[in-house]
Amino acid sequence: MAEQRIAQKTRNTAETRISLNLNIDGSGKSDIDTGIPFFDHMLTLFARHGLFDLELKAEGDLSVDYHHTVEDVGLVLGQVVKAALGEKRGIARYGFFILPMDETLARVALDLSNRPAFVYKVSVPEAMVRDFNIMLVREFFQAFANEAGCNLHIALEYGEEPHHVAEAIFKCFAKALDRATQIDPRMGDALPTTKGTLSN
């Protein structure tokens, strides 16, 4: 049986304190507490639909704003995904998915190339879900792409209800990342690149 791809990180700053454990080869279990209920919901969906096991505890300066916590969780998640994948031997590397959520349709494509790039084409007439501004979703994924070394493209094909938009994006990202991290048995122990490394 292949060794499970697991990583953890603790990051403490003046703005946030984050502890995160991730098992790429999990079953979708999660234990998440960021102090932001809607964000917890999105991360729970991410774990469940990507079949990742995720434990996350975050404490941030929520009295100021949700921005630091959301962005820093994305940063730490990106670092942990990169660490868990190691040299990326045998992985599919590319992942993409199109996901419906009621009236909403989201599209995500990504490349675990170690060349960070981020394109986010999402526009909604209303951005608030209670006290959570879904514009922060962009900050989360930008931080993830930077730290994971991920080429990440997210687009909203159509949709208006902000909860549905955010949920479709997180689920779609989970499915795309699950596909990109899958081991392709045809690859054996090879790297999915012609340049000899995906680590630098």
Side-chain angles (χ1 to χ4, degrees):
M1 182 176 178
E3 182 179 348
Q4 285 192 317
R5 296 169 294 172
I6 298 172
Q8 66 84 31
K9 183 174 179 64
T10 298
R11 181 179 186 269
N12 296 321
T13 71
E15 297 170 341
T16 60
R17 294 163 299 284
I18 297 169
S19 177
L20 192 152
N21 293 270
L22 177 71
N23 181 356
I24 294 286
D25 304 303
S27 60
K29 296 180 295 185
S30 62
D31 182 6
I32 296 165
D33 181 10
T34 68
I36 307 171
F38 184 73
F39 190 38
D40 291 353
H41 177 44
M42 294 299 103
L43 293 169
T44 300
L45 293 171
F46 162 76
R48 180 61 179 169
H49 291 277
L51 297 176
F52 308 120
D53 290 345
L54 177 63
E55 296 180 9
L56 169 63
K57 173 67 176 177
E59 297 178 355
D61 53 357
L62 302 185
S63 61
V64 175
D65 197 354
Y66 291 165
H67 187 284
H68 294 148
T69 299
V70 172
E71 182 177 42
D72 287 1
V73 168
L75 183 155
V76 174
L77 180 62
Q79 292 174 343
V80 169
V81 166
K82 186 173 184 178
L85 291 175
E87 291 185 304
K88 305 186 178 83
R89 290 188 179 276
I91 69 167
R93 176 177 161 177
Y94 299 96
F96 55 90
F97 208 80
I98 297 176
L99 188 135
M101 174 68 193
D102 292 349
E103 86 296 343
T104 296
L105 190 71
R107 172 168 51 89
V108 174
L110 60 89
D111 174 12
L112 297 170
S113 60
N114 206 40
R115 295 191 303 276
F118 182 56
V119 177
Y120 190 77
K121 294 188 175 182
V122 176
S123 178
V124 291
E126 172 59 53
M128 299 303 296
V129 179
R130 296 188 67 180
D131 61 345
F132 187 92
N133 189 331
I134 69 165
M135 295 299 290
L136 292 175
V137 170
R138 179 188 184 113
E139 304 306 316
F140 171 83
F141 285 113
Q142 176 74 75
F144 175 88
N146 289 346
E147 296 300 319
C150 177
N151 189 327
L152 176 60
H153 296 247
I154 297 174
L156 177 66
E157 298 295 331
Y158 43 81
E160 296 184 354
E161 207 287 319
H163 189 139
H164 294 167
V165 169
E167 183 164 335
I169 288 171
F170 270 88
K171 287 179 177 178
C172 196
F173 170 68
K175 302 298 281 186
L177 185 62
D178 177 45
R179 279 152 178 72
T181 57
Q182 288 295 307
I183 299 295
D184 186 336
R186 298 170 298 174
M187 289 285 293
D189 197 39
L191 289 166
T193 179
T194 57
K195 69 179 184 178
T197 181
L198 285 173
S199 300
N200 300 313

